[in-house]
Amino acid sequence: ISLGLVGSEMCIETDTTLSVRGTTLPLPLSVTAEPLGDGTLQVTARAEVDRTRWGVSGNMFGMMPTTTTLIADAVFVKA
């Protein structure tokens, strides 16, 4: 894990795993955490994946590139 700070955003680089169709492989993951003005915290995770490494080969009509970006966003609010 490596940590950094860019402006008000905390940047984290970490090694994780991704499981798809019974195949689990390492996946580097970039995460940013940014406090929002209303007391909430937004966390965004991003990773580039080559879908063929996980056995996903379908590409109907040539519309999906081999390399795909996975993005997840979450906003945490105080209860």
Side-chain angles (χ1 to χ4, degrees):
I1 295 178
S2 67
L3 300 172
L5 195 59
V6 177
S8 63
E9 285 187 354
M10 177 181 286
C11 301
I12 304 163
E13 298 293 328
T14 185
D15 292 320
T16 61
T17 58
L18 176 66
S19 297
V20 176
R21 296 180 153 183
T23 301
T24 301
L25 297 170
L27 181 69
L29 189 65
S30 298
V31 180
T32 58
E34 180 180 13
L36 303 178
D38 58 359
T40 61
L41 178 69
Q42 180 176 3
V43 177
T44 302
R46 174 184 300 258
E48 298 285 325
V49 297
D50 175 348
R51 61 185 171 76
T52 60
R53 292 183 60 214
W54 282 267
V56 179
S57 58
N59 188 8
M60 293 173 48
F61 312 114
M63 296 175 63
M64 188 169 171
T66 300
T67 302
T68 303
T69 303
L70 301 179
I71 301 171
D73 282 311
V75 175
F76 296 91
V77 181
K78 278 187 175 181

